[in-house]
Amino acid sequence: MKLKFLGIAGLALLAACSNTDSSATGAGGAGAGSGNIRPGSQEDLVANVGDRVFFDYDRSNVRADQRPVLQRQAEWMGRYPEVRVQVQGHADERGTREYNIALSARRATATREFLIAQGVKGSRVSSIAYGKERPAALCDAEQCWSQNRRAVTVITGGASGIGAATARRFLEIALEEGLELFFVNLVRLAQEKLQAYIGERPFVSVALTDFDEGRCLAAWPDREVYRG
Amino acid sequence: MPATFGPPSSLVMRAPTARPNPSGAPRQGGGSPTGTAALTQGEIRGLADQVAECWNVDAGMLGLQEITVELRVQLDGQGNVRNVVPAGNMPNDPRVRSVFESARRALLSPSCNPLKVPADKLQTVMASTFRFSPRGLVR
Amino acid sequence: MTTRRSLLLGAAGAVTVSGLAGAPDAAFAQGAVIDITRARTNPIPIAIPDFAGAGDGQRYGRDIARVVQDNLRNSGLFRPVARQAFIQTPEAAAQTPRFQDWRVIGAQALATGRADLQGGNLRVEFRLWDVLPENQLQGTAFTAPIGNWRRIAHLISDVIYERLLGEKGYFDTRVVYIAESGPRDRRLRRLAIMDQDGENNAFLTDGREAALTPRFHPSADRVAFMSYQNRQQPRVVLFDLNTRNQQVLGNFPGMTLSPRFSPDGRSVVLSATRGGDANIFVVDLASRRERQLTSGGGLDVSPCYSPDGTQIVFNSDRGGDQQLYVMDANGGGAKRISFGRGRYATPVWSPRGDLIAFTRFGGGGFAIGVMRPDGSGERILSEGWQMEAPTFAPNGRVLMFYRETRATDARGGGYSAKLVSIDIAGFNERPIPTPTDATDPTWSPLLS
C-alpha cells in the first residue's frame, strides 16, 4: 500500500517505531497500580490465569492438581494467537547445581509438552532451565522450597495480543475508511514543524506500537521503504 | 628453564654427613669387645618407641602403607647418632627417598639423641637395622 | 655421602677415631632389627630467611621468601620457623649455612637464596638444605621478567615441596571460578581467574550472560563453561583465556551443560538434553563430531574422565536418585559406585588416579568426601549447610570446593558463598580469599 508521499526523502526519523526501550512506555505501560490490566499481557496471565505450576521434590511430572492451571494457560493462548511464551523451569536449593539444571529442564519440558498436548502450537512455546539459581522464595524451609520447584510461563512476544499482521490490517482499514486525508495532513504538519525546529525535513510516520515490548507493529507510511 | 647446581665450593670439601664431636676432643669408650652384647626385646622396643616419637611422615603420600626403609647408624661413645646410612642402596623413587629422609631426620633429631642404648651395646646397635614402615600410622 | 664400609676402612687399626665408637669389633656384633611402625604426622619445620639481594633485588628477595613461606605453610605439611628465632643472617646463610644455628632453633629444612635484577629480569637462585645431615638437597636458579616474581616464588615452592615430600607440588597453578554478587534472586555470575593463593584476581566476563561450572583444559589456556547466551538455552562454550574469545561447542538441539576436558585435551565430555532426558556425549575438538555415550530415560550429568582416559565417572538418577556411576570411556558397562547414606553428585577423579571426590547430601546437610574408584573407602572431609563442587589440585593432594553460609534474615541478608580448600587427608581446611562471593572453582594443571 505505497502512496505517492513515499517519494519524500530525508532523515529516517523513525518516530515511535524506533523506541526499543521498554521503560519509555510511560503512561501507556503496564498499568500497574491502576487496576487496569490489559488483556493478553503478562499481568493478565499472572492475575487471571496463573503463570506457574509446582512440582514435588525431585519430580518433574505435571501433578494432577496443577493441570487446571496449564489448561487455562492453553486456552488463554488460544484467545491471543499472537502471544509467544517461554516456560522457565526451576528447582529448589536442596541439591547440586548441574543436576538441578537438568531437573528443571525436565520440568520445563514436561510443562511445555502438556501445553502442546492442549493444542498450543510448539513454535509458540520455548523453554529454558535455571536450576536452583533463581529462587522465588528465600527461606530455608519447605514453604519456600515448594515455591521454588516451579515452571513459570513468561510472555516473550505478542503481549498486546496484537501482532504485526493485525496492526497493518487495522491501518489499511482505517485508511480505506477515510483516515487517509487525516494522516496525510498530520504527517505534513509534523514535518513542517520539525523542519523549522531541527533545520531538516525529517521522515515522519504514524505508528501503531506495542508498548510492553517497545516494538513498532505497523506504520504509515511504511517505514520499510526508507530503510537503508 | 631453571638451572640446577651443586653445593657451593665452600662446602664441597666437607664430608657432608660426618660431624666432629662437638666438644672437640676425641672420645674413648664403647670401643671394646663388650659392646657386642645382644639387645633384649625390651631394649629393642625402647629404641623403637624413642625413635617413633621423632619420626614424622606425610600421611597423604600415595602408597605410604607399602613403603619400608632400612637404615643404620653410627654412634659416638654416648650413643649420639653421628651418621645415618641406608642399609642397602640409596632409594631412587622420590616417595621412598622422602620416607628415607624423614627416617634419617628422626634418627638425627636432637629430641631423640642420645639413643637409649646401654654403653655396652653400642656396637650391637650399630650392627642393627632400623626398619621404618608406616603401617600403623597416624596418632 | 660416605658409606659405612669406607668409614670402617678408615677406622681399621685405630683404637679410637674422632669420637666414633671403635669399628673393628662391629663385625662380630649381633645386630637386631628395630621395627618402627608408628609415626607422627607433624609438618616439616622449615626455615625460609629472606633471600639476599642488592638494591631492589633485596625487596624481591624478601617478597619471594614470604610467598614461598605462605605457600608451604598453607599446605599444612610444612611449619615455617619464626623469623625472630633466626640466628644466622640471610646474607650469611645464602653464602654458607651454619647448620648448628638452624638446628638449634628447630629447623629441619632450610631454604636460602638470592635475587638479582638483570635489566628487566629477575634472576633468583635458591638452595634447599637438609639441616640435620647437613646436606644440600637442591640448587636451582630461575630467571623471569620482574613482573612475574610471584611465579618464581610458586615455582620455588613446588621444587621444595617435591624434593622433600616426593610428590609434585601445586603452587604454580591458577583457579578459574564463578564470581557472584547481588541479591540471590537476581545474581550476577561472572567468570573470574586468580592464582591459587588468591592473588592476581581478574574478571573474564561481564555477567550479562550468566556463566556457570567452568573447567580447565589440560594446557591451562582455555576453559569450557556453561553460558546463558541471549536468554536462550544455556550452552557449553569454549573460552580462550588469552584472547577472551568464546565459541559455542557442538551443534546440539537442546541445552548442553557440565563440560569437562579429556586428559589428552582433544575432546570435551558433556551432558546434553533432548526432550526431558539428559545424556552424556563426547565432542572431538578437532572434527567437532559428537558421540553419544549414555542413553535412556534418566538424567546423566557431571561426567569426568579418569586420568588415564579409559573411564568416566558421572552422576545419574537412573536408579531412582542421584548416585555415582563409572563406565568405560566409550560408554559401556556403567556400574554404580556410591552406596552410602544420601545422594551423591559432582564426581571428580583425582589426577593421581587413586580417589574420586564428590558432594553428598541429604538429611538436612551437605558434605564433601572422597572414595576409591571402586566405591570403597568412603571418607567425609567436611560437612555443612550447603557445599558443593570439589576440584583437585594437579597433584591430587588438595581439594577446593565452595561453601555457602545460610542467610540470617528473610531477605537473604548474611548469605555468602566462598571457596575453601582442604587436604585429602581431611585436615587444614582454609578459606581462599576472593573479592566477591565465589562458586564453582576449577583448578588448573601446573603451569610450567
Side-chain angles (χ1 to χ4, degrees):
Chain A
M1 40 163 287
K2 296 188 178 48
L3 303 179
K4 300 189 269 292
F5 310 96
L6 300 181
I8 296 171
L11 279 181
L13 179 68
L14 301 175
C17 272
S18 69
N19 181 5
T20 56
D21 179 15
S22 55
S23 67
T25 53
S34 72
N36 193 14
I37 294 181
R38 186 198 339 276
S41 66
Q42 184 71 29
E43 293 71 29
D44 184 20
L45 181 65
V46 172
N48 300 320
V49 177
D51 68 337
R52 58 193 62 195
V53 291
F54 301 99
F55 296 83
D56 288 339
Y57 179 61
D58 224 27
R59 306 300 304 272
S60 53
N61 55 303
V62 176
R63 284 195 329 237
D65 66 339
Q66 301 295 303
R67 290 186 203 150
V69 176
L70 294 180
Q71 282 156 351
R72 286 202 302 273
Q73 285 187 7
E75 185 232 0
W76 182 85
M77 289 190 69
R79 255 188 282 143
Y80 303 105
E82 294 296 321
V83 166
R84 296 181 306 281
V85 299
Q86 183 181 66
V87 176
Q88 302 177 343
H90 299 267
D92 73 34
E93 311 88 85
R94 291 174 301 157
T96 52
R97 181 169 266 178
E98 287 174 334
Y99 179 85
N100 273 356
I101 287 173
L103 178 65
S104 64
R106 192 175 238 177
R107 287 172 176 159
T109 298
T111 305
R112 176 176 179 269
E113 286 175 353
F114 190 95
L115 289 173
I116 290 172
Q118 299 295 304
V120 181
K121 215 161 53 156
S123 59
R124 297 175 63 194
V125 186
S126 65
S127 69
I128 194 170
Y130 287 113
K132 60 173 185 166
E133 310 306 321
R134 295 203 182 181
L138 289 180
C139 67
D140 198 27
E142 174 60 17
Q143 78 217 40
C144 288
W145 297 330
S146 57
Q147 290 185 62
N148 292 333
R149 299 190 298 267
R150 69 199 190 280
V152 182
T153 302
V154 171
I155 294 177
T156 52
S160 57
I162 299 174
T166 309
R168 266 197 297 278
R169 181 78 195 118
F170 173 80
L171 275 182
E172 284 171 15
I173 293 170
L175 289 163
E176 288 162 11
E177 298 206 349
L179 279 178
E180 180 176 338
L181 192 59
F182 172 69
F183 282 174
V184 166
N185 285 334
L186 179 63
V187 164
R188 231 189 227 153
L189 185 62
Q191 280 179 321
E192 284 168 14
K193 294 297 180 190
L194 284 166
Q195 179 175 16
Y197 188 60
I198 65 177
E200 286 185 32
R201 192 177 182 82
F203 168 66
V204 175
S205 68
V206 176
L208 273 173
T209 300
D210 179 331
F211 280 132
D212 278 343
E213 289 181 45
R215 194 161 65 98
C216 174
L217 295 174
W220 182 92
D222 189 340
R223 66 186 171 122
E224 299 300 312
V225 176
Y226 290 82
R227 188 163 289 179
Chain B
M1 285 291 281
T4 58
F5 44 78
S9 53
S10 57
L11 289 182
V12 164
M13 300 315 294
R14 295 180 46 186
T17 56
R19 217 172 39 248
N21 185 307
S23 73
R27 293 270 171 170
Q28 311 240 0
S32 70
T34 60
T36 59
L39 292 166
T40 68
Q41 285 303 312
E43 285 163 346
I44 291 174
R45 244 192 331 269
L47 277 171
D49 285 348
Q50 179 188 19
V51 175
E53 287 297 309
C54 297
W55 186 34
N56 286 290
V57 294
D58 168 17
M61 180 190 288
L62 192 64
L64 182 64
Q65 309 288 92
E66 279 80 46
I67 295 177
T68 299
V69 293
E70 297 184 351
L71 293 78
R72 294 195 171 177
V73 299
Q74 279 138 20
L75 308 170
D76 70 6
Q78 278 72 50
N80 292 299
V81 178
R82 285 291 172 244
N83 195 15
V84 177
V85 297
N89 291 324
M90 189 63 175
N92 279 328
D93 177 84
R95 291 189 175 98
V96 179
R97 181 175 64 176
S98 171
V99 176
F100 170 86
E101 289 172 351
S102 72
R104 179 170 64 183
R105 284 194 292 271
L107 289 166
L108 287 168
S109 173
S111 321
C112 280
N113 274 280
L115 292 182
K116 291 181 189 142
V117 185
D120 60 341
K121 298 191 183 179
L122 293 176
Q123 296 284 350
T124 312
V125 171
M126 289 198 292
S128 298
T129 300
F130 288 80
R131 187 161 63 190
F132 293 78
S133 48
R135 288 187 319 256
L137 193 51
V138 188
R139 273 168 303 166
Chain C
M1 196 164 42
T2 51
T3 65
R4 174 171 165 268
R5 185 162 180 275
S6 64
L7 274 175
L8 280 175
L9 287 174
V15 177
T16 63
V17 178
S18 49
L20 292 174
D25 298 316
F28 298 115
Q30 300 266 9
V33 173
I34 302 156
D35 273 310
I36 298 115
T37 56
R38 282 178 304 130
R40 296 192 174 277
T41 55
N42 293 322
I44 298 175
I46 182 168
I48 307 167
D50 291 343
F51 289 8
D56 274 347
Q58 187 177 42
R59 192 196 113 210
Y60 286 104
R62 185 192 64 232
D63 289 348
I64 286 172
R66 305 287 163 127
V67 170
V68 171
Q69 180 173 279
D70 289 342
N71 277 338
L72 294 179
R73 179 199 303 111
N74 290 338
S75 74
L77 300 174
F78 295 88
R79 178 177 61 78
V81 175
R83 279 149 198 277
Q84 303 89 282
F86 291 179
I87 297 171
Q88 196 177 18
T89 66
E91 294 71 26
Q95 298 262 33
T96 306
R98 269 187 84 222
F99 292 105
Q100 166 142 343
D101 286 354
W102 299 101
R103 188 174 70 245
V104 83
I105 63 173
Q108 293 184 357
L110 167 69
T112 61
R114 5 179 354 105
D116 293 296
L117 293 170
Q118 296 172 345
N121 282 341
L122 192 58
R123 183 179 186 274
V124 180
E125 62 173 63
F126 93 101
R127 297 168 197 271
L128 177 66
W129 308 90
D130 205 345
V131 172
L132 295 174
E134 304 186 0
N135 258 354
Q136 173 173 319
L137 294 176
Q138 188 90 22
T140 314
F142 296 94
T143 304
I146 293 178
N148 283 349
W149 69 270
R150 280 187 178 276
R151 276 208 66 193
I152 294 180
H154 295 316
L155 288 165
I156 290 174
S157 309
D158 281 329
V159 168
I160 294 174
Y161 184 106
E162 184 173 353
R163 181 59 187 80
L164 287 175
L165 299 179
E167 300 201 325
K168 289 224 159 269
Y170 61 94
F171 302 111
D172 187 31
T173 56
R174 307 176 86 186
V175 173
V176 162
Y177 66 97
I178 300 302
E180 303 204 357
S181 49
R184 287 198 60 201
D185 51 355
R186 289 188 148 278
R187 291 286 259 186
L188 190 69
R189 294 189 167 94
R190 292 179 284 176
L191 202 65
I193 190 167
M194 61 180 183
D195 296 347
Q196 49 80 18
D197 61 358
E199 296 286 334
N200 288 328
N201 190 84
F203 298 107
L204 299 173
T205 65
D206 62 16
R208 265 178 305 170
E209 297 169 352
L212 291 176
T213 67
R215 307 279 189 263
F216 257 106
H217 187 274
S219 68
D221 63 357
R222 325 166 228 167
V223 296
F225 69 96
M226 243 183 91
S227 179
Y228 279 78
Q229 305 202 302
N230 302 325
R231 298 195 297 133
Q232 292 168 31
Q233 294 263 44
R235 290 190 198 283
V236 167
V237 298
L238 297 178
F239 185 94
D240 185 302
L241 290 170
N242 295 319
T243 65
R244 312 245 171 135
N245 280 338
Q246 75 182 40
Q247 49 170 252
V248 174
L249 177 67
N251 209 4
F252 293 88
M255 177 174 76
T256 49
L257 64 150
S258 63
R260 203 173 281 278
F261 288 93
S262 59
D264 63 11
R266 296 217 201 104
S267 26
V268 173
V269 65
L270 48 74
S271 178
T273 62
R274 182 190 294 240
D277 300 330
N279 283 305
I280 294 178
F281 286 73
V282 164
V283 182
D284 181 278
L285 286 176
S287 66
R288 299 296 159 119
R289 267 205 313 269
E290 303 153 10
R291 197 153 51 95
Q292 184 164 353
L293 298 185
T294 69
S295 55
L299 297 178
D300 299 337
V301 298
S302 308
C304 180
Y305 278 96
S306 60
D308 65 5
T310 61
Q311 294 176 287
I312 291 175
V313 62
F314 63 100
N315 192 204
S316 175
D317 66 0
R318 56 184 56 185
D321 62 3
Q322 278 177 270
Q323 298 292 335
L324 305 184
Y325 293 79
V326 170
M327 65 178 173
D328 293 340
N330 60 19
K335 272 201 340 243
R336 178 171 159 178
I337 63 167
S338 56
F339 291 98
R341 258 191 353 264
R343 295 148 189 254
Y344 292 75
T346 72
V348 286
W349 212 308
S350 166
R352 270 192 345 184
D354 59 329
L355 294 173
I356 288 173
F358 55 83
T359 304
R360 191 182 81 179
F361 63 100
F366 280 62
I368 300 291
V370 293
M371 62 173 67
R372 292 193 211 99
D374 64 2
S376 66
E378 177 176 328
R379 276 188 296 125
I380 295 300
L381 303 183
S382 186
E383 298 179 274
W385 172 64
Q386 299 239 122
M387 53 220 284
E388 161 172 0
T391 180
F392 274 101
N395 69 353
R397 291 297 308 266
V398 182
L399 279 175
M400 198 181 291
F401 56 94
Y402 74 94
R403 180 193 285 284
E404 295 171 82
T405 301
R406 208 192 295 247
T408 49
D409 65 48
R411 273 177 334 202
Y415 167 86
S416 71
K418 287 295 186 184
L419 301 185
V420 173
S421 72
I422 191 167
D423 189 282
I424 52 156
F427 68 95
N428 196 33
E429 177 170 330
R430 28 183 311 273
I432 307 297
T434 52
T436 64
D437 277 357
T439 61
D440 283 349
T442 178
W443 213 318
S444 81
L446 286 170
L447 297 177
S448 42

